[in-house]
């Protein structure tokens, strides 16, 4: 294989592996910026993956599948919201619980409906989000590095990939340039002040949570009906937690979130590539090292050795209106 | 006084509320079972019968409960200091390494009762070590312990898989696990305990760890409520400023508490690694660390409550296994879901019925006074 | 705040002094000694309700204040630094706390009282130091003219 092929191939798979992280981390951004910890990202991702696969299977439409994924993800969000905003329960526990519910419920329903051990039936290509070929991609493939880059990284991705990269600046704009964004950032730091200003803390946080569910719906859908062609047991496989790590690594900021997700996606792609190969000087690096690297990096960051990561101040604390 | 903190009788807080929460979780689970075309009442009876209907069932139930006692105590210990340790899962996993190393070193030379104290120490030290870095980061650098302990769960899992695949696996073996322990590395079953009640344990792996778990329940209770250190821990957990005022050293208390919490989690490994599998296996913790969070919350962070909540989850686990065997339509994943619902209602929504109960009981009180 | 509201009264009664040997040796709490100690102070300071196992949050503000004052004064310190010792306390308790502070003075202890209540300061202090904008602007006698004190507090006179 040529070096060019390897690099382009790696970049392509970095992008593909980053997409679910980007959607999920941005979802977490809305939730955590509003002061609601969201350990349940993983579960939402899994539930929406299942829902999108089921809906896409019955309707044959990927767009309806996406809608189904988003809907279920928002329902999970609302349960989390009810527990942590209205009932003032423990947000971590609620997140852990929803992860368990999602892991169990998807397989139980899948098994009951399709009898394939929890998997959903293979989808036809028409029911999936498939690769979009850009004009001239075929011709460009033969034209050196940039041509290949155009053909296999820029072109040839499915619609959700492009959507993910469009979402990043939109989220940035919403968080930093709109009134809602200002209030969102404020409510995660000092809900009391927001309340004093006559803005409902509860409604604000519910909106943040619903947006989180909405974005998570994309990541689950991507897993089930864009990257693969069916739902598989536990197909999120810890990606929700990696996204959480990326969110923290990016210090809860939208543009850095994208880069953190790309970095973690690259680590994933690199470890796949390196499996069984040995590196110069160090020899064979175990794949587990790359799997742990995102978490190690995040801990190093949290320790304040590379800048400081300070979570929203009111995160995790239920808001009680003073009487 | 508003409904949020109006006092309720102790038995309502400690028994009725958890019971109502549990009931709600089971109700929804029953609904799901009915939805997939099965009879929820039959499922419940199979579940209870499988968990409690025979000596073997009870043996399995208590075996699983032992895991949850340790992880529940681990979570509770940290909770009393105001720390949320969701890393019990990883601490138990790494604790397994300490336990297994001791067993591998000693099993061929000494009987189990010589190995056991060292294995307890090994498991506790390795578990504590895995809690140390998050504890240190929290105490000295202010890193959020919830986040660091999650990260350490994953780092620990990767480390353990690496060690099992590349280091500890005997040459030529296929599955990523250590060699089986000889008799000196196996904890004996509690056949005699069952015999006392005129029943038989059969193949259930209930072992000495259960008794160690009970001892640890007492030890944690004594530590928290009867010692000066426990006083400091509780003071810190309830009010950091007041603790500072009282001269309680923050960093030291946090680190020691987390080491104890990690140590308790690590000791869970004893039950599985030396008590049942007799080898160290990949993912032997299987979510028990997370269940510990629910157990601790449901048990109101009190060892007695934790014991009862652990047994409850033990029933769910064992009954669930039986359920998937007897009613194949209901797979083990159903138990994962029920577990999630129980954690949701007993943990996150624990005060769901509080306002209603306050209304009922305060009315009753005022009637009694009038 | 030197109180932990979810603690029982007797537990707050030893807050800050929990390491003293009289409350238990070898790291274990001596529950009888702690209870006796709490009963003694409850009686002496008329803390109501007289229940050492009641949660501190369930005491009135004045009685909570008395728990703190009892704990700190009964330690018999050589220097007592009190800030706003009667804020939120009922009339009867104010009088009692004032009397205890005077007793401390009478037994030769140094008392530094910080307060915004002019009446309280005039009733208790032997010397009054007036602060303005973070600086000491002057000293006055407790029988000084109230208007004079007021001007000093405003930073106009010294």
């Amino acid at each position: 294989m040529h070096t060019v092929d390897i690099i382009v191939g790696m970049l392509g798979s970095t992008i593909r592996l980053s997409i679910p992280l980007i959607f999920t981390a941005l979802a977490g951004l809305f939730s955590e910026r509003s002061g609601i910890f969201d350990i349940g990202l993983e579960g939402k991702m899994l539930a929406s993956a299942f829902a999108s696969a089921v809906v896409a299977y019955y309707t044959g439409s990927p767009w309806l599948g996406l809608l189904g994924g988003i809907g279920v993800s928002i329902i999970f969000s609302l349960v989390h919201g009810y527990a942590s905003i209205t009932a003032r329960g423990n947000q971590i526990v609620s997140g852990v619980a929803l992860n368990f519910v999602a892991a169990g419920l998807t397989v139980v329903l899948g098994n009951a409906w399709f009898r394939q051990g929890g998997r959903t039936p293979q989808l036809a290509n028409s029911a999936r989000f498939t690769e979009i070929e850009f004009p001239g991609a075929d011709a460009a493939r033969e034209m050196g590095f940039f041509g290949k880059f155009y053909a296999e990284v820029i072109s040839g991705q499915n619609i959700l990939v492009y959507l993910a990269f469009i979402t990043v600046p939109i989220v940035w704009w919403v968080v930093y340039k709109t009134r809602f964004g200002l209030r969102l950032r404020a409510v995660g730091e000092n809900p009391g002040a927001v309340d004093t200003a006559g803005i409902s803390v509860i409604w604000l946080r519910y909106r943040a949570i619903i947006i989180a569910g909405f974005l998570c719906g994309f990541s689950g859908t991507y897993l089930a009906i864009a990257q693969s062609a069916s739902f598989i047991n536990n197909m999120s496989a810890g990606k929700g937690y990696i996204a959480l790590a990326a969110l923290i690594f990016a210090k809860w900021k939208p543009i850095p979130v994208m880069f953190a997700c790309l970095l973690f996606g690259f680590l994933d792609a690199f470890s796949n590539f390196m499996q069984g190969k040995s590196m110069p000087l160090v020899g064979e690096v175990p794949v587990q090292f790359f799997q742990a690297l995102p978490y190690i990096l995040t801990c190093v960051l949290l320790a304040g050795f590379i800048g400081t990561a300070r979570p929203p101040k009111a995160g995790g604390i239920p808001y009680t209106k003073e009487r | 006084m508003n409904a949020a903190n109006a006092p309720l009788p102790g038995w309502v807080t400690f028994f009725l509320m958890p019971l109502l929460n549990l009931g709600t979780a089971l109700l929804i689970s029953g609904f799901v079972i009915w939805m997939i075309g099965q009879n929820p009442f039959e499922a419940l009876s199979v579940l209870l019968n499988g968990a409690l209907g025979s000596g073997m069932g009870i043996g399995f139930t208590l075996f699983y409960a032992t895991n949850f006692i340790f992880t529940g105590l681990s979570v509770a210990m940290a909770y009393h200091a105001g720390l949320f340790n969701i890393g019990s899962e990883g601490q138990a996993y790494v604790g397994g390494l300490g336990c297994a190393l001791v067993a591998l070193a000693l099993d061929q030379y000494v009987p189990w009762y010589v190995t056991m104290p060292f294995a307890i120490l090994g498991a506790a030290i390795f578990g504590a070590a895995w809690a140390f870095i998050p504890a240190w980061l929290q105490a000295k650098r202010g890193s959020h312990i919830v986040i660091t302990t999650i990260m350490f769960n994953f780092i620990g899992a990767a480390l353990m898989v690496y060690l099992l695949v590349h280091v500890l696996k005997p040459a030529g073996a296929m599955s990523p696990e250590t060699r089986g322990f000889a008799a000196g590395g196996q904890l004996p079953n509690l056949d005699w305990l069952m015999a006392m009640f005129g029943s038989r344990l059969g193949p259930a792996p209930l072992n000495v760890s259960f008794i160690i778990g009970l001892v640890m329940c007492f030890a944690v209770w004594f530590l928290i409520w009867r010692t000066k250190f426990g006083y400091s821990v509780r003071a810190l957990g309830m009010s950091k400023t007041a603790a500072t005022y009282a001269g309680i050293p923050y960093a030291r208390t946090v680190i020691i508490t987390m080491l104890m919490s990690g140590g308790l989690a690590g000791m869970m490994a004893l039950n599985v690694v030396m008590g049942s599998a007799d080898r160290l296996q990949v993912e032997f913790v299987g979510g028990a660390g997370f269940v510990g969070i629910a157990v601790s919350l449901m048990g109101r962070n009190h060892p007695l409550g934790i014991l009862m909540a652990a047994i409850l989850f033990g029933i769910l686990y064992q009954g669930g296994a039986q359920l998937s065997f007897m009613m194949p339509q209901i797979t083990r994943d159903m138990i994962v879901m029920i577990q999630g619902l129980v954690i949701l209602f007993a943990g996150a929504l624990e005060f769901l019925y509080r306002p209603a109960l306050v209304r009922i009981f305060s009315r009753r009180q005022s009637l009694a006074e009038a | 705040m030197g109180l932990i509201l979810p603690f029982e009264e007797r537990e707050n009664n030893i807050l800050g002094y929990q390491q003293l040997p009289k409350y238990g040796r070898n790291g274990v709490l001596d529950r009888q000694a702690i209870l006796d100690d709490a009963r003694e102070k409850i009686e002496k300071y008329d803390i109501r309700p007289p229940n050492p196992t009641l949660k501190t949050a369930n005491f009135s503000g004045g009685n909570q204040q008395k728990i703190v004052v009892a704990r700190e004064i009964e330690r018999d310190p050589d220097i007592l630094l009190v800030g706003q010792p009667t804020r939120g306390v009922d009339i009867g308790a104010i009088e009692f706390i004032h009397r205890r502070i005077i007793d401390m003075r009478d037994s030769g202890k140094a008392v530094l009282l910080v307060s915004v209540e002019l009446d309280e300061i005039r009733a208790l202090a032997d010397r009054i130091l007036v602060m303005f904008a973070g600086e000491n602007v002057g000293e006055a006698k407790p029988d000084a003219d109230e208007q004079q004190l007021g001007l000093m507090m405003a930073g106009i006179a010294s």
Side-chain angles (χ1 to χ4, degrees):
Chain A
M1 240 200 306
H2 290 294
T3 328
V4 173
D5 290 327
I6 294 174
I7 293 175
V8 170
M10 193 98 86
L11 287 175
S13 66
T14 296
I15 302 264
R16 281 186 286 278
L17 291 167
S18 306
I19 299 308
L21 301 184
I22 291 178
F23 280 123
T24 313
L26 291 176
L29 187 141
F30 276 99
S31 181
E32 303 221 336
R33 270 298 177 97
S34 81
I36 306 292
F37 276 153
D38 201 350
I39 309 277
L41 291 172
E42 173 87 6
K44 281 203 269 283
M45 210 170 175
L46 196 60
S48 65
F50 177 73
S52 66
V54 170
V55 175
Y57 172 72
Y58 280 120
T59 62
S61 155
W63 292 102
L64 288 176
L66 177 64
L67 215 61
I70 290 172
V72 166
S73 178
I74 289 179
I75 291 173
F76 268 70
S77 259
L78 286 176
V79 174
H80 183 54
Y82 179 75
S84 41
I85 302 170
T86 307
R88 298 195 196 101
N90 188 309
Q91 300 168 8
I92 309 286
V93 175
S94 163
V96 168
L98 288 173
N99 286 344
F100 272 102
V101 171
L105 189 61
T106 50
V107 181
V108 166
L109 293 181
N111 203 31
W113 291 342
F114 305 108
R115 322 253 149 150
Q116 296 185 6
R119 298 177 63 126
T120 60
Q122 198 76 13
L123 293 171
N125 270 347
S126 62
R128 292 178 56 215
F129 289 112
T130 49
E131 289 75 24
I132 301 167
E133 203 73 4
F134 279 15
D138 255 338
R141 191 160 284 132
E142 306 305 323
M143 297 180 341
F145 175 78
F146 289 103
K148 213 166 180 62
F149 184 80
Y150 174 73
E152 288 180 13
V153 180
I154 308 251
S155 162
Q157 309 283 11
N158 63 67
I159 183 98
L160 294 181
V161 173
Y162 305 110
L163 265 178
F165 287 103
I166 295 168
T167 309
V168 176
I170 295 177
V171 168
W172 175 85
W173 183 77
V174 168
V175 171
Y176 290 106
K177 297 290 164 195
T178 65
R179 198 163 61 172
F180 170 72
L182 177 69
R183 291 172 175 180
L184 177 82
R185 284 179 288 140
V187 82
E189 295 289 336
N190 191 343
V194 172
D195 200 7
T196 311
I199 302 154
S200 163
V201 171
I202 292 176
W203 172 224
L204 197 53
R205 286 188 166 168
Y206 263 111
R207 273 183 290 172
I209 283 264
I210 290 169
I211 296 174
F214 175 76
L215 289 171
C216 253
F218 283 88
S219 68
T221 306
Y222 179 85
L223 287 181
I225 67 174
Q227 206 172 32
S228 21
S230 69
F231 173 84
I232 304 159
N233 299 2
N234 193 28
M235 77 184 309
S236 52
K239 284 193 178 63
Y241 290 103
I242 300 236
L244 192 66
L247 174 64
I248 298 159
F249 195 73
K251 301 172 188 176
W252 292 268
K253 294 188 178 90
I255 307 294
V257 157
M258 180 183 75
F259 287 113
C261 290
L262 285 170
L263 172 68
F264 291 175
F266 171 74
L267 288 176
D268 200 0
F270 190 68
S271 80
N272 288 343
F273 173 74
M274 285 306 292
Q275 215 147 11
K277 297 193 188 71
S278 68
M279 271 196 346
L281 299 177
V282 285
E284 189 181 331
V285 180
V287 59
Q288 288 83 18
F289 175 73
F290 291 104
Q291 285 167 356
L293 203 51
Y295 304 111
I296 296 174
L297 285 175
T298 306
C299 279
V300 172
L301 179 85
L302 278 170
F305 295 126
I306 27 175
T308 48
R310 200 184 54 78
K313 209 178 270 163
I317 310 160
Y319 181 66
T320 319
K321 215 181 173 81
E322 292 217 20
R323 283 162 212 282
Chain B
M1 213 177 264
N2 61 18
N5 44 25
L8 277 173
W11 66 272
V12 175
T13 312
F14 291 100
F15 294 98
L16 188 61
M17 257 164 58
L19 219 63
L20 282 174
N21 292 330
L22 182 69
T24 314
L26 290 183
L27 202 70
I28 297 180
S29 310
F31 175 73
V32 174
I33 292 173
W34 172 78
M35 231 173 66
I36 63 171
Q38 304 292 309
N39 182 343
F41 297 103
E42 193 190 332
L44 184 65
S45 103
V46 169
L47 188 143
L48 287 177
N49 205 22
L52 303 170
S54 67
M56 187 187 83
I58 294 174
F60 268 107
T61 297
L62 292 181
F63 167 75
Y64 292 124
T66 308
N67 289 342
F68 306 143
I69 290 173
F70 283 115
T71 53
L73 288 175
S74 164
V75 174
M77 183 77 212
Y79 199 88
H80 278 293
L83 302 166
F84 211 150
N85 177 14
I86 47 178
S88 299
E89 181 85 10
Q91 289 143 18
Y93 204 172
V94 176
L97 181 64
C99 174
L101 289 179
V102 170
L104 288 171
L106 299 178
D107 64 340
Q108 279 152 344
Y109 311 106
V110 294
W112 67 269
Y113 49 84
V114 180
T115 314
M116 192 178 79
F118 293 104
I120 294 175
L121 264 177
I125 289 173
F126 273 64
W130 206 243
F132 175 73
I133 300 176
W136 184 82
L137 288 174
Q138 164 83 40
K140 299 281 190 185
R141 318 273 320 183
S143 321
H144 209 299
I145 201 154
V146 170
I147 300 169
T148 46
T149 47
I150 300 179
M151 302 293 136
F152 265 72
N153 281 342
F154 286 97
I155 300 171
L159 175 75
M160 291 296 285
V161 172
Y162 169 75
L163 289 175
L164 281 167
V165 172
H166 294 275
V167 183
L168 294 167
K169 188 177 73 169
M174 284 307 290
S175 47
E177 54 187 37
T178 63
R179 69 168 167 82
F181 304 148
Q186 300 180 6
L187 298 179
N189 284 358
L190 296 180
D191 291 305
W192 53 269
L193 187 70
M194 281 296 154
M196 262 166 46
F197 298 99
S199 185
R200 290 187 44 221
L201 199 52
L206 177 64
N207 62 76
V208 183
S209 314
F210 177 63
I211 294 176
I212 300 172
L214 294 182
V215 173
M216 290 323 287
C217 279
F218 177 78
V220 168
W221 170 81
F222 187 82
L223 181 76
I224 295 283
W225 278 281
R226 290 290 181 271
T227 68
K228 292 185 170 181
F229 178 73
Y231 179 91
S232 307
V233 167
R234 284 184 297 129
L236 181 65
M238 288 184 225
S239 165
K240 205 174 145 184
T241 48
T244 312
Y245 160 85
I248 294 163
Y250 175 73
R252 208 176 77 190
T253 313
V254 163
I255 291 179
I256 296 178
T257 310
M258 276 304 287
L259 290 180
M260 289 178 169
S261 171
L264 284 165
M267 284 167 71
M268 181 225 119
L270 219 61
N271 187 40
V272 182
V273 174
M274 281 178 70
S276 152
D278 301 327
R279 71 198 66 208
L280 183 61
Q281 293 168 311
V282 170
E283 285 183 4
F284 74 87
V285 184
F290 291 114
V291 176
I293 298 172
V295 166
S296 171
L297 257 151
M298 222 177 151
R300 299 283 186 263
N301 303 305
H302 190 286
L304 195 63
I306 289 171
L307 178 64
M308 291 193 298
I311 292 175
L312 174 82
F313 274 91
I315 293 172
L316 272 181
Y317 256 66
Q318 165 54 15
Q322 203 64 20
L323 194 57
S324 61
F325 185 68
M326 304 283 286
M327 300 169 79
Q329 267 301 299
I330 302 176
T331 56
R332 276 206 63 90
D333 305 283
M334 180 64 89
I335 297 310
V336 176
M337 183 203 76
I338 296 177
Q339 220 177 304
L341 288 171
V342 172
I343 296 175
L344 184 69
F345 284 97
L349 289 168
E350 57 177 339
F351 300 127
L352 186 63
Y353 296 112
R354 201 169 195 284
L357 287 171
V358 166
R359 263 196 303 275
I360 294 171
F361 282 94
S362 58
R363 187 178 307 147
R364 215 204 241 171
Q365 224 161 15
S366 49
L367 279 179
E369 276 162 15
Chain C
M1 180 80 157
L3 278 179
I4 295 174
L5 294 180
F7 264 17
E8 291 176 7
E9 194 277 338
R10 59 177 168 174
E11 290 177 304
N12 270 312
N13 189 44
I14 63 167
L15 188 70
Y17 306 102
Q18 68 273 15
Q19 294 298 348
L20 292 180
K22 75 165 173 177
Y23 297 130
R25 294 180 178 278
N26 302 324
V28 180
L29 295 166
D30 183 343
R31 289 163 46 81
Q32 194 57 49
I34 292 167
L35 194 63
D36 292 343
D37 193 76
R39 287 222 173 96
E40 192 188 309
K41 283 179 192 141
I42 284 174
E43 197 180 345
K44 201 162 168 187
Y45 284 74
D46 191 27
I47 295 165
R48 290 179 205 200
N51 178 2
T53 58
L54 188 69
K55 267 203 181 123
T56 314
N58 295 336
F59 284 88
S60 69
N63 280 297
Q64 289 178 3
Q65 191 84 305
K66 280 199 263 183
I67 295 171
V68 178
V69 172
R71 183 180 68 206
E72 301 304 333
I73 292 182
E74 289 304 301
R75 286 293 316 137
D76 198 21
D78 287 332
I79 300 172
L80 183 68
L81 207 162
V82 274
Q84 301 268 64
T86 55
R87 191 172 60 181
V89 179
D90 59 283
I91 306 275
I94 288 179
E95 214 162 291
F96 179 78
I97 291 172
H98 283 176
R99 214 163 48 238
R100 294 299 308 170
I101 292 174
I102 297 287
D103 288 348
M104 291 282 293
R105 190 269 318 265
D106 290 348
S107 57
K109 305 295 163 64
V111 179
L112 179 62
L113 169 76
V114 182
S115 182
V116 295
E117 300 264 353
L118 205 48
D119 291 339
E120 180 169 85
I121 293 172
R122 283 159 65 90
L124 293 179
D126 297 325
R127 294 162 60 204
I128 301 173
L129 294 173
V130 182
M131 304 275 294
F132 174 75
E135 275 179 44
N136 183 5
V137 291
E139 189 180 328
K141 289 278 169 208
D143 53 2
D145 181 30
E146 197 159 317
Q147 201 165 3
Q148 175 66 16
L149 277 173
L151 287 173
M152 287 166 78
M153 284 160 71
I156 298 167
S158 68

